[in-house]
Amino acid sequence: MASKVIIRGYYGFGNLGDDVLMLVSYKLIRKIFPQADVLVCSNSNTNEYIHSFLGERVQLIKDHDPVVADWILDGGGGVYFDFSSASKIYKLLNTLLKLFGIKWFKFLYKKYRNIKGAPGIFSKFKAGIGIGVGTYSGSSSKYYADMILLSEYNFLSVRDTESESNIRKMGFNYPVFAASDLAFLTQYWCSQTRINEPESKSTCVGFILRDWKFNAASDYASVKETTKRLQAMDIKVMFFSFDRIDSAYKKEFGECDFNEWNPAEVGLENYLAKLRQCSLVVTSRAHGGIMAACLGIPAICIAIEPKLKVVHQMLKNSSGLLESPIAPDALLAEIQSRLARKDLVNSVRLDVELNRIKMEAAYQKLSEFVKQTV
C-alpha cells in the first residue's frame, strides 16, 4: 500500500468552499490509505490554519517542492478553465499544443524546471475527484500548464457532464467519470445534517456574494435595493463572505449583518450555525449554493459564470437561476416565489441525496482503482 500521499487543490487560502473540499479529500484519503503519511499541497503563505482545520498536524508543501509520493489526489478547489486572454505568444503556443499534442512540450517543460531547481511534486499515480473542467480562450496563459496537469491523471472523476465532455474532447487516455461535488459527502464536514423545517425559524434571506469584474457594481446595487424591500416586509437579511479576499463585496455590505469566513479565528460549526439561520440564500458562489443545500437551505444562483449554471443543474429540483446582471424586480420576485413554496424542503433533500449517491459511487470507483494498482 501507499506510504506517502499528497492531496492537492486550492488549499490554505481561506476560501470556505475549498477548505471543505480539502477536509473531505483528507478524510477520504485517510479511509483509502489509513497507514499512509498524508501531505497537503498548499501554495498559500498563510496556511497554518490547515492543521487545526483538519484536526491534526500535517506536513504542508508547495507544488514546486521536490517531493516524491505514491499518490497525488486532486480534490477540487478551483477548476481547469480560463476565460481571459493574454499575448499572441500564448496564442501561438496553444495552437502548437493543439496541433502536435502535449508530450513534446511536457518533456521540455520538465527539463526546464529541473534546470531551474524546482522539479515539483511527483507521484507514481495521480487521481482527481470532483474536478471541474471548463474551456479556455485561444490565448490563455494557463492552458499549457493545465494541459500538463490534466495529462498526468490515471483516474479522473469530474463534477458534471459538461466537464466530462470537455475532458474527452482533449483526448486524454484514462478513465473519466461524471459525478458531482465532494461537498455533497456531508458526513465528512458537517456534523449536523438535519434539515430544519421552515416554520421552525423566522424568515431570513442570506446573500453569499463575491468580487467579480463583470457586472459586480450593477448586481451589488440590485442587491441593495432588494435588501431594502425585504427588510420593509420584516424579512431578515444576512450577508456571508466565503473568502476574505472579496474586498469590494465587504466594502459594499460590511456594515450590514456580515459574516466573514476566517478559518484562523472562526470554527466551521460556528460559521455554519449562522448560515443555518437562513430560509433561502442568493449566491454568486458555487459552493454557496451547494453548501446551503447540504444544510437544507434552497438557493437562487446568480449566473456570473458557467459554473453557477452547473450548480443550478445539480440542484435542479430546488434552486432558482438568474442571469447576471440582475434586476431588483426580478430578484425580489424570485425570492418571494421561492419563499412561498412549501415543497422546497423535500426538494432540497432530494437534490442533496441524488448528488451524494453520485459522489459515493465516484469514491467507490476510486477505491477499486486504487486496489487494482496495489
Side-chain angles (χ1 to χ4, degrees):
M1 292 295 287
S3 60
K4 183 179 291 186
V5 181
I6 298 169
I7 64 168
R8 175 174 61 183
Y10 188 74
Y11 299 156
F13 290 89
N15 178 295
L16 178 59
D18 296 322
D19 286 339
V20 165
L21 295 181
M22 174 178 64
L23 182 59
V24 175
S25 298
Y26 183 74
K27 291 188 176 182
L28 289 180
I29 283 298
R30 280 291 184 212
K31 283 183 67 176
I32 297 172
F33 302 110
Q35 304 303 319
D37 183 17
V38 181
L39 290 67
V40 177
C41 184
S42 166
N43 294 318
S44 170
N45 293 320
T46 56
N47 57 16
E48 282 299 309
Y49 75 87
I50 288 177
H51 303 298
S52 58
F53 189 80
L54 295 180
E56 69 179 274
R57 194 156 191 87
V58 295
Q59 183 178 348
L60 303 178
I61 61 172
K62 298 186 183 300
D63 63 10
H64 61 257
D65 290 339
V67 179
V68 178
D70 300 288
W71 277 86
I72 292 174
L73 176 73
D74 288 340
V79 294
Y80 292 105
F81 78 96
D82 188 17
F83 305 136
S84 61
S85 298
S87 67
K88 292 181 179 179
I89 294 175
Y90 284 108
K91 186 171 184 178
L92 175 61
L93 174 60
N94 296 345
T95 301
L96 292 173
L97 290 176
K98 291 173 184 177
L99 285 174
F100 300 107
I102 192 68
K103 287 185 179 180
W104 63 276
F105 182 79
K106 182 178 174 181
F107 174 79
L108 294 174
Y109 185 71
K110 296 284 186 181
K111 287 288 186 184
Y112 167 76
R113 290 194 61 161
N114 285 332
I115 292 171
K116 293 287 288 184
I121 61 177
F122 174 81
S123 66
K124 184 177 180 182
F125 297 102
K126 176 180 167 183
I129 185 166
I131 303 296
V133 181
T135 57
Y136 293 80
S137 66
S139 60
S140 165
S141 60
K142 290 177 55 183
Y143 181 79
Y144 76 92
D146 283 0
M147 289 307 104
I148 290 174
L149 292 174
L150 282 167
S151 72
E152 294 174 341
Y153 286 113
N154 303 105
F155 173 98
L156 183 59
S157 162
V158 293
R159 70 182 181 200
D160 55 86
T161 54
E162 185 176 343
S163 291
E164 182 183 20
S165 175
N166 288 333
I167 195 71
R168 291 195 186 282
K169 289 175 184 176
M170 295 171 185
F172 298 117
N173 187 27
Y174 48 71
V176 179
F177 305 94
S180 189
D181 190 276
L182 276 174
F184 286 107
L185 297 176
T186 55
Q187 65 268 38
Y188 299 112
W189 64 271
C190 180
S191 62
Q192 180 188 338
T193 58
R194 182 180 64 84
I195 294 177
N196 292 328
E197 296 297 331
E199 59 267 26
S200 68
K201 55 185 177 183
S202 59
T203 303
C204 173
V205 176
F207 289 88
I208 308 172
L209 308 179
R210 58 165 295 181
D211 285 7
W212 189 248
K213 61 183 177 181
F214 307 108
N215 302 324
S218 173
D219 286 347
Y220 287 166
S222 294
V223 168
K224 283 187 174 181
E225 176 61 28
T226 304
T227 297
K228 291 178 183 177
R229 298 182 189 182
L230 289 172
Q231 290 173 331
M233 293 184 284
D234 292 326
I235 294 175
K236 184 179 179 181
V237 175
M238 300 174 73
F239 291 87
F240 297 85
S241 171
F242 278 18
D243 194 329
R244 56 187 170 182
I245 67 169
D246 289 333
S247 56
Y249 173 37
K250 185 175 182 178
K251 183 178 179 181
E252 289 288 337
F253 299 99
E255 294 183 359
C256 304
D257 189 343
F258 194 86
N259 302 276
E260 183 178 71
W261 170 244
N262 184 342
E265 299 178 6
V266 181
L268 179 59
E269 281 302 319
N270 289 334
Y271 193 82
L272 295 180
K274 289 279 190 179
L275 190 56
R276 282 193 180 95
Q277 296 178 32
C278 298
S279 315
L280 175 74
V281 300
V282 178
T283 180
S284 56
R285 278 201 174 275
H287 279 102
I290 292 170
M291 292 179 62
C294 291
L295 299 177
I297 306 165
I300 298 171
C301 299
I302 306 300
I304 61 171
E305 57 176 323
K307 119 174 128 167
L308 272 299
K309 295 181 180 179
V310 171
V311 171
H312 170 60
Q313 285 302 310
M314 290 176 176
L315 306 171
K316 61 184 178 181
N317 295 293
S318 61
S319 69
L321 180 71
L322 291 175
E323 296 280 353
S324 177
I326 51 177
D329 289 345
L331 178 56
L332 182 62
E334 184 68 15
I335 290 172
Q336 289 177 310
S337 174
R338 295 274 147 188
L339 290 175
R341 283 182 54 180
K342 302 300 183 183
D343 63 326
L344 274 186
V345 172
N346 288 332
S347 297
V348 171
R349 286 194 182 104
L350 174 62
D351 282 334
V352 172
E353 181 63 12
L354 291 173
N355 284 279
R356 186 194 65 78
I357 290 170
K358 290 179 181 179
M359 286 314 303
E360 291 286 2
Y363 165 70
Q364 288 301 322
K365 287 179 179 177
L366 175 59
S367 298
E368 291 166 7
F369 184 84
V370 168
K371 290 176 182 178
Q372 294 171 12
T373 64
V374 176

